[in-house]
Amino acid sequence: MDSANIEKAVALLAASGGAAALAYVFFGPKSEGEHAFTKGLQNLGNTCFMNAILQALAANQCFVSWMTEVFSDIPLEIKEYMPMSVGVHQVLRALSSHESTSEVHCPDDMLKALASHGWRTGGEEQDAHELFHIVIMALLHELTMWQEPLPLLDLNIAMKLPTRDVPPGVAVNRQTVQLLPFRFTVRHNPLDGLQVSNMTCLTCRKQRPTQYSHFDSLSLSLPRNSWSSDCAVPLTMLLRSFCCPETLEGVECNSCAQRFPRFVADEVSPGRAACPRSDFLRQVSIGRLPRCLCLHVQRVYWLNNGMPWKSQTRVSCPEQLDMSPFVHTSIGMKASNGRQPEALAPSHRRRKLLYQLKSIVVHRGGSAGGHYVTYRCASDDSSKWCCVSDASVRDIERSEVQACAAYMIFYERTHVSHLPS
């Protein structure tokens, strides 16, 4: 208790002479800042976008645990060459720790880390989703650069590192650097997922080889008919739209070229076989779900007059999300009738993949600027929620969380439950 509250207690005791007044001071209504324990982050000059991302990541225990384990494995000698890893770890530790009595943490190390990777804010507001990608990419770059053989241009770093395990008289080169004790194994990134893309020709029914790509977030589009609506759009609707097949027109098909060869005569290569163009059916789904799922809701669109416009449509985020309907399946892509198949096939689902809502990043304002805040579960009680706006933290009801204008949504995987066949 600060000195002002102590003086207040003494004055009340002197006036009433009762213990009830003292109890009111110590246990009475909470003032602003007294809440389920969650620290704020100091704004260092339009850095609300950075603070919002850090708060959102701090609410996901699997990401915090991953950073803690990885950081503990990094030898002390090379931590000075990993500014982003150090900066993120220090912020997450400060936001998760109850040891410090300060309710606000200064994330100045993060600005230094971003600058070391060539990213400077210039005192202007930036996009939180873009920063999220930069932080994750910088983390993985710092962690993986010590796993693979160092390029020759990085030998200047190696020359500054300790060589106690290198035999006397042996030069520090590309081969001996790999033998130094700072080589370590990085645990799997909890944000890393695998996206699957299938394409099928609607003319010859030939399916192209399945393509896989890694992702750390999935970008979802709002339906156009919801842009001016006051009703909240279910998050599951956005996910269904993400996985819904789409028709691509005028795509070259090598299989059609073999079945239906056509020849054209031109000045460049007379008699060259022209590859026919067909309509393709393309479907995107999730091949491997990450432990920490990040969903990005696209809100800025370009109008016909070339001006940007931001949608304020609210998104209804369930507290528990089943991702099993959106996991990769070949159902429908082998349809022979040429019609668009069903994107989802509930009858073929055999298990539930459950995720728990942990945090939401919200942008308040228009396309030209605004302010970022984070809705997140409290550090000491995941059943309680709070709204964090830089250094300000206030308790909120779940109803405010589940129907907000979400920009980035973070879920954490809980468990897998099998369904009857």
Side-chain angles (χ1 to χ4, degrees), residues 156-203:
N156 59 331
I157 298 179
M159 296 296 293
K160 300 177 183 178
L161 296 174
T163 58
R164 56 177 178 268
D165 286 5
V166 179
V170 177
V172 179
N173 53 34
R174 192 172 184 176
Q175 286 71 36
T176 56
V177 161
Q178 301 180 47
L179 303 178
L180 294 179
F182 54 77
R183 315 296 289 185
F184 61 96
T185 301
V186 179
R187 294 170 175 84
H188 186 67
N189 172 19
L191 285 162
D192 180 59
L194 202 61
Q195 182 174 301
V196 180
S197 177
N198 284 316
M199 290 185 62
T200 301
C201 178
L202 296 180
T203 301

Side-chain angles (χ1 to χ4, degrees), residues 104-121:
V104 179
H105 177 73
C106 179
D108 53 345
D109 286 337
M110 281 298 301
L111 289 182
K112 298 176 183 178
L114 290 171
S116 68
H117 284 272
W119 207 78
R120 291 175 173 82
T121 64

Side-chain angles (χ1 to χ4, degrees), residues 6-22 25:
I6 293 177
E7 292 177 0
K8 182 179 178 182
V10 173
L12 286 173
L13 281 174
S16 63
L22 183 61
V25 175

Side-chain angles (χ1 to χ4, degrees), residues 41-42 44 46-56 107-111 114 119 121 126-128 131 135 372 390:
L41 290 173
Q42 182 180 346
L44 302 176
N46 289 330
T47 57
C48 60
F49 64 100
M50 180 184 71
N51 293 343
I53 291 298
L54 294 173
Q55 289 284 2
D108 53 345
D109 286 337
M110 281 298 301
L111 289 182
L114 290 171
W119 207 78
T121 64
Q126 307 291 332
D127 182 69
L131 175 72
V135 170
Y372 285 98
D390 292 328

Side-chain angles (χ1 to χ4, degrees), residues 203-217:
T203 301
C204 65
R205 309 293 190 266
K206 180 69 173 180
Q207 180 174 322
R208 287 187 174 182
T210 301
Q211 294 183 341
Y212 300 91
S213 58
H214 290 269
F215 69 86
D216 52 28
S217 67

Side-chain angles (χ1 to χ4, degrees), residues 17-36:
L22 183 61
Y24 175 86
V25 175
F26 282 92
F27 307 105
K30 294 182 179 181
S31 61
E32 184 178 359
E34 296 181 23
H35 39 67

